[in-house]
Amino acid sequence: SYVLTQPPSVSVAPGQTARITCGGNNIGSKSVHWYQQKPGQAPVLVVYDDSDRPSGIPERFSGSNSGNTATLTISRVEAGDEADYYCQVWDSSSDRYVFGTGTKVTVL
Amino acid sequence: EVQLVESGGGLVQPGGSLRLSCAASGFTFSSYEMNWVRQAPGKGLEWVSYISSSGSTIYYADSVKGRFTISRDNAKNSLYLQMNSLRAEDTAVYYCARLYSGYDSFLDYWGQGTLVTVSS
């Protein structure tokens, strides 16, 4: 089965840049989507199709995808960005949706 | 405004059954594919099941295949998850989520979730 691997945690100071990776075999050939989840809340889509942002999501959130790694970048990090982040793809070889292991972003 | 409201969660004994419902509003429910996603306490997101807009195509995670059944009633704007032979490891918050368009698409709207606890 297809596996997406994320670092368990990322710490970043306010105003700096956080980069969250999502590793998977030839993930560059897939469309990667990213979700933000704050405690006690449902996930919220922050980036779709590798690098597009839904309306209402700040431009500080951006994404890229190539080779075996997709990356979510949060620029000028704010305290309100502290949350868990998950990548997600569709695995057509098994007809399954797959979520990454999740990354907790802590704002120092 | 798109709204997804789950219900039906609760405490159930191992081996028992439960039926979750998801009431949809604010969009043409019959035009969208839907999913169930769950999250065990303190754990990550786990996809559970997918159903096409007509209900003709269904997929399940290996962890629930043969025990859970997804269905929908487009006339009632409702999505369902029938859960049988429940195990302790099925304890989780269950979310219904709308798929934007197409298999490799994203989940653009989520409900607030309903908690299922499997315990004796």
Side-chain angles (χ1 to χ4, degrees), chain B residues 27-33 52-54 72 74 99-101:
Chain B
F27 65 102
T28 305
F29 180 72
S30 60
S31 296
Y32 285 86
E33 301 145 280
S52 63
S53 56
S54 65
R72 64 191 297 160
N74 287 341
L99 193 67
Y100 177 70
S101 178

Side-chain angles (χ1 to χ4, degrees), chain B residues 32-33 39 42-43 60 72 74 76 87 97 108:
Chain B
Y32 285 86
E33 301 145 280
Q39 187 170 38
K43 302 297 184 182
Y60 296 101
R72 64 191 297 160
N74 287 341
K76 294 184 177 180
R87 307 165 179 166
D108 60 349

Side-chain angles (χ1 to χ4, degrees), chain B:
Chain B
E1 178 193 7
V2 172
Q3 284 199 320
L4 298 169
V5 179
E6 303 93 338
S7 61
L11 176 63
V12 60
Q13 293 188 338
S17 299
L18 212 55
R19 188 194 196 205
L20 305 184
S21 299
C22 172
S25 61
F27 65 102
T28 305
F29 180 72
S30 60
S31 296
Y32 285 86
E33 301 145 280
M34 299 294 295
N35 288 265
W36 287 99
V37 177
R38 70 182 180 183
Q39 187 170 38
K43 302 297 184 182
L45 300 174
E46 180 188 14
W47 171 76
V48 173
S49 185
Y50 157 97
I51 187 168
S52 63
S53 56
S54 65
S56 61
T57 300
I58 286 172
Y59 302 123
Y60 296 101
D62 291 342
S63 57
V64 306
K65 198 168 187 178
R67 301 186 299 122
F68 290 11
T69 302
I70 191 172
S71 63
R72 64 191 297 160
D73 185 337
N74 287 341
K76 294 184 177 180
N77 292 335
S78 293
L79 175 71
Y80 306 102
L81 187 67
Q82 177 67 43
M83 304 185 295
N84 298 332
S85 303
L86 283 162
R87 307 165 179 166
E89 54 264 37
D90 294 319
T91 294
V93 173
Y94 285 74
Y95 297 99
C96 67
R98 188 181 86 166
L99 193 67
Y100 177 70
S101 178
Y103 286 133
D104 64 351
S105 186
F106 47 90
L107 302 169
D108 60 349
Y109 286 95
W110 298 63
Q112 282 305 304
T114 187
L115 176 63
V116 172
T117 303
V118 184
S119 174
S120 55

